[in-house]
Amino acid sequence: MLPISAKNGNVPFSQALFTSVSAVCVTGLVVQDTASCWTGFGQAVILLLIQIGGLGVVTMSAAFALLSGKRISLMQRSTMQEALSVPKVGGIVRLTGFILRATFLLEFLGAAVMLPVFYRDYEPRGIWMSVFHSVSAFCNAGFDLTGTPDAPYASLTAYRGNPLINVVIMLLIIIGGIGFFTWEDVATKRLHFRRYRMQSKVILLSTVILIFVPAFLIFLFEYPHLPVGERVLAALFQSVTARTAGYNTANLNEMSEAGRALMIILMMIGGSPGSTAGGIKTTTAAVLIANSLATFRSKEDVDLFGRRVGANVVRNAATVVVLYVVLFSVGGLCISIIEGLPILTCLFETASAVGTVGLTLGITPTLCTASRLILIVLMFFGRVGGLTLVFAALSGPHRNVSRLPLETITVG
């Protein structure tokens, strides 16, 4: 809200709050065009919030502790373990150091590769553009600086046919979204896929499926007016970005209703645990699909890649999905009632918010304060994790070990 942050010197509190929540939750939904509304200082603050939100407050705190040479306590290591979604405390400090080095190296490389294109189009300002978009893409935030007062909220539509920008942004999104735990497997075990942990195998396989299957469908049924080359890039980019990145190179309002529904599903699934991405997570979807397959085959245990999945994991997965679906549905219904807008359009926005994606059909800047508050709550739940908040609110100090009598109930 500082006058130095906004180009007109004054931004209402509600707009500043929405922008800061969107940045720290690495969502990308905005009520003011980032390039047109905010000064260089304001954009730098947004980028800092994106970096903190992408890596996580715990990881950033650990980074300052490592730089200052302070000893990290066992309790802090346990918190870091939970934040990074790794199975054990051992080696967590080394893993955190690896994450920080890899993050800044990848963001630097992404900025360096995109610099020639942005410098050609924006001259010296292109340096800042390349850095901003590299960090924003890696953190799956989706904030952009390509808009103008005459053409706001442009995202990356001007680079729809540019292979370099498309490929670099997609790679940054994917690498940021597969999870830090998976990075370690890839870095230490290279191409020996069979030696990867089961979680890493699930993440990599589900990521490949969720990129290429939707991209194939988008290519077949959407944007028929585009040349084949641009259509391939557009299909791949929209498939990748829908899972919590928030950039777009094609007009989403030109999509059919079926295409928008597909994007909603991708936004709800999101990225992988322990990553910069949001959503219910790829592993959650994989566990529930594996549970369904086990039920169809009359198998007692759920297994993935030759390993059994615990019953508590399946319960948590089902709870996460129910919670996200309730938040997304109720939020969409409330906004539709308040604004008088079509329900599918509102569900697209709430899926984008709760999945911390940032894609929009253009209605977010036009929403009233009540609807924006709904999106703020959804972004917060989506980034912190709804299950985490429910556990914090409802978990009592004592566990009840008694069990009630068993009785059957018919389902399905």
Side-chain angles (χ1 to χ4, degrees):
M1 289 180 64
L2 292 174
I4 193 176
S5 298
K7 290 184 177 180
N8 64 3
N10 182 32
V11 173
F13 174 76
S14 62
Q15 294 184 10
L17 174 65
F18 192 99
T19 303
S20 61
V21 171
S22 183
V24 82
C25 293
V26 289
T27 304
L29 287 174
V30 293
V31 291
Q32 291 283 355
D33 182 68
T34 307
S36 306
C37 176
W38 305 103
T39 63
F41 176 80
Q43 292 168 15
V45 171
I46 290 172
L47 191 65
L48 178 61
L49 292 175
I50 289 171
Q51 188 73 85
I52 293 172
L55 288 176
V57 175
V58 174
T59 305
M60 293 299 293
S61 300
F64 287 118
L66 290 172
L67 290 173
S68 63
K70 292 182 179 178
R71 183 177 178 82
I72 298 177
S73 67
L74 183 60
M75 182 177 293
Q76 289 173 318
R77 292 170 192 248
S78 178
T79 305
M80 291 162 62
Q81 175 203 0
E82 294 178 8
L84 298 176
S85 301
V86 295
K88 59 182 181 180
V89 176
I92 193 67
V93 176
R94 178 185 56 80
L95 176 61
T96 302
F98 166 72
I99 289 169
L100 293 170
R101 290 192 301 272
T103 294
F104 296 129
L105 175 62
L106 288 166
E107 289 174 348
F108 171 78
L109 291 175
V113 174
M114 291 189 291
L115 179 57
V117 176
F118 283 123
Y119 194 87
R120 178 199 67 195
D121 296 341
Y122 296 93
E123 298 179 338
R125 183 169 173 258
I127 300 173
W128 173 239
M129 297 276 287
S130 60
V131 172
F132 189 97
H133 288 93
S134 181
V135 174
S136 182
F138 180 83
C139 292
N140 281 215
F143 281 82
D144 69 89
L145 299 179
T146 58
T148 65
D150 295 328
Y153 316 111
S155 194
L156 297 176
T157 52
Y159 296 96
R160 182 174 58 207
N162 189 305
L164 180 65
I165 297 297
N166 275 260
V167 171
V168 172
I169 293 291
M170 283 191 288
L171 286 176
L172 288 170
I173 292 168
I174 293 167
I175 295 171
I178 62 174
F180 308 131
F181 189 57
T182 307
W183 288 8
E184 188 185 36
D185 259 353
V186 174
T188 56
K189 295 162 187 174
R190 308 293 179 181
L191 299 178
H192 301 288
F193 185 75
R194 291 188 176 184
R195 294 169 55 192
Y196 288 9
R197 301 175 181 94
M198 181 260 282
Q199 177 170 309
S200 298
K201 293 178 181 178
V202 171
I203 287 171
L204 292 173
L205 179 61
S206 58
T207 297
V208 170
I209 293 172
L210 288 170
I211 289 173
F212 289 103
V213 173
F216 179 70
L217 295 174
I218 293 171
F219 177 80
L220 285 183
F221 302 110
E222 306 294 338
Y223 307 114
H225 60 283
L226 294 179
V228 174
E230 286 191 19
R231 195 172 173 185
V232 169
L233 284 176
L236 279 170
F237 195 94
Q238 266 51 244
S239 178
V240 170
T241 194
R243 291 192 310 107
T244 86
Y247 286 121
N248 61 286
T249 57
N251 188 347
L252 299 178
N253 286 295
E254 294 178 1
M255 275 189 154
S256 64
E257 288 196 351
R260 295 179 192 179
L262 175 62
M263 297 289 279
I264 288 173
I265 293 171
L266 292 175
M267 289 192 289
M268 291 294 288
I269 293 174
S272 302
S275 72
T276 61
I280 66 170
K281 303 296 189 295
T282 53
T283 48
T284 303
V287 166
L288 291 181
I289 292 172
N291 183 54
S292 299
L293 293 175
T295 302
F296 295 152
R297 296 171 181 171
S298 300
K299 293 174 63 177
E300 186 174 342
D301 294 325
V302 178
D303 60 85
L304 288 165
F305 290 100
R307 295 291 186 271
R308 181 166 53 87
V309 178
N312 63 316
V313 175
V314 178
R315 285 198 301 270
N316 286 345
T319 304
V320 167
V321 170
V322 170
L323 185 60
Y324 270 77
V325 169
V326 169
L327 288 171
F328 139 81
S329 304
V330 172
L333 286 170
C334 290
I335 293 176
S336 180
I337 292 170
I338 294 170
E339 305 290 340
L341 294 169
I343 184 63
L344 183 60
T345 301
C346 298
L347 289 175
F348 191 97
E349 304 295 309
T350 55
S352 181
V354 79
T356 67
V357 181
L359 293 177
T360 178
L361 295 178
I363 70 168
T364 296
T366 67
L367 298 177
C368 68
T369 302
S371 298
R372 290 179 182 178
L373 286 175
I374 292 172
L375 292 182
I376 286 173
V377 171
L378 292 178
M379 288 189 288
F380 181 73
F381 265 80
R383 187 54 186 161
V384 174
L387 198 58
T388 301
L389 294 177
V390 171
F391 280 157
L394 301 182
S395 295
H398 304 291
R399 182 181 176 186
N400 188 359
V401 295
S402 63
R403 304 180 72 182
L404 297 173
L406 178 67
E407 186 170 343
T408 60
I409 182 171
T410 304
V411 297

